[in-house]
Amino acid sequence: MTDTSIDTSPFDLSGTTVLVTGARRGLGRAIAVEFARAGADVAIGLRETADDAGLASEIEALGRRALPVRMDVTDLDAARAAIDRTVEEFGPLHTLVNNAGGGIVAPAIDVTEEDFDRVWALNTKSTYFLSQHAARHMRNAGGGAIVNIASQAGLVALPGESSYCIAKAAVVHLTRCQAVEWGEYGIRVNALAPTFIETDGTQAALSDPAFRADTVERIAALHRIGAPREVSGAAVFLASSAASLITGQTLAIDGGWTAR
């Protein structure tokens, strides 16, 4: 999305619509709220629409519209229908944030085919085909932005997380491929690659003092765990006109982990 106006902030997303997958908690929730703060109306992708943990109310309290949509991203037909409903309710879809994801912890020698397929479907297959469906809407509307939540695991090897690393590495490269093909439609595709962020999803691992100390040491420059808003702000940037010449890129939000 390109805004040539000089009268508004390039980070102002007023009048736009975003759909965030996996929005109930953690990074997805932070991203949904951040887009509302920036002025966007937000469709919130949830496994069950009644279980939004107050997120719709939080977005509406910021003066924006919220639309809970049922969206298990591994059920592609249902997820595509959620994209269609967003467009029907809110009008053109300006931004898709592919946030839903997850992995397993297992040595590479023990990962089963079922494990691998499940991680691939959740992280990579869903990102590919939901981006495709959103891009068809965006092409018809004259453009848009797709922000994929990859991971530093897609840039470096993390022992015990091989299937997740491979899935996120594929997200990094599909970001490049789709950006190159869809630029002619005015669609930009970028990714974020966060390090460990303080969320309810990482709480169990980071509560282990030894694991936390090792993680802080590996975050080689800043030596601290990240906060959700350090990712959500970057997602808004990539969707905004401030990033209008940026596409096909993966921004590492890793405190220097991958620089070492």
Side-chain angles (χ1 to χ4, degrees):
M1 177 169 50
T2 303
D3 182 2
T4 57
S5 171
I6 61 173
D7 297 324
T8 59
S9 166
F11 303 102
D12 182 3
L13 298 179
S14 298
T16 70
T17 294
V18 61
L19 169 59
V20 182
T21 71
R24 183 181 183 275
R25 63 177 190 164
L27 286 182
R29 188 185 189 94
I31 290 168
V33 171
E34 199 71 49
F35 270 85
R37 289 193 185 106
D41 294 324
V42 186
I44 48 181
L46 304 164
R47 281 186 171 271
E48 296 296 335
T49 54
D51 186 25
D52 76 343
L55 178 56
S57 297
E58 188 174 353
I59 290 168
E60 289 166 352
L62 293 167
R64 309 316 309 164
R65 292 183 295 170
L67 177 67
V69 290
R70 187 176 179 278
M71 204 171 193
D72 175 353
V73 298
T74 63
D75 181 347
L76 291 177
D77 287 341
R80 291 185 186 105
I83 293 173
D84 294 340
R85 185 180 171 214
T86 299
V87 173
E88 289 167 5
E89 295 282 340
F90 280 175
L93 177 64
H94 300 92
T95 305
L96 170 67
V97 180
N98 286 304
N99 167 75
I104 61 167
V105 177
I109 203 165
D110 294 330
V111 172
T112 66
E113 186 175 352
E114 181 182 27
D115 291 336
F116 185 94
D117 289 345
R118 184 169 64 251
V119 173
W120 185 265
L122 178 59
N123 295 279
T124 312
K125 185 176 180 179
S126 68
T127 297
Y128 189 99
F129 285 104
L130 296 189
S131 295
Q132 178 193 71
H133 195 67
R136 289 169 176 160
H137 283 287
M138 292 174 179
R139 176 183 59 185
N140 293 337
I146 296 172
V147 180
N148 298 323
I149 305 303
S151 170
Q152 69 178 16
L155 305 175
V156 295
L158 300 181
E161 298 187 47
S162 61
S163 59
Y164 182 68
C165 290
I166 291 165
K168 289 301 190 182
V171 169
V172 169
H173 198 54
L174 76 82
T175 295
R176 298 187 190 103
C177 294
Q178 292 178 338
V180 168
E181 289 201 29
W182 297 342
E184 66 179 292
Y185 308 129
I187 301 169
R188 297 182 299 103
V189 188
N190 291 291
L192 299 175
T195 187
F196 286 89
I197 307 295
E198 295 273 14
T199 69
D200 43 7
T202 61
Q203 183 178 13
L206 292 174
S207 65
D208 178 341
F211 181 88
R212 188 182 188 93
D214 181 65
T215 299
V216 168
E217 171 59 26
R218 289 177 183 274
I219 298 176
L222 299 183
H223 296 293
R224 64 176 177 82
I225 308 299
R229 204 163 188 189
E230 293 176 299
V231 180
S232 62
V236 166
F237 163 66
L238 288 178
S240 75
S241 63
S244 59
L245 198 60
I246 300 175
T247 195
Q249 303 303 308
T250 296
L251 176 61
I253 307 177
D254 66 353
W257 183 310
T258 60
R260 184 163 70 177

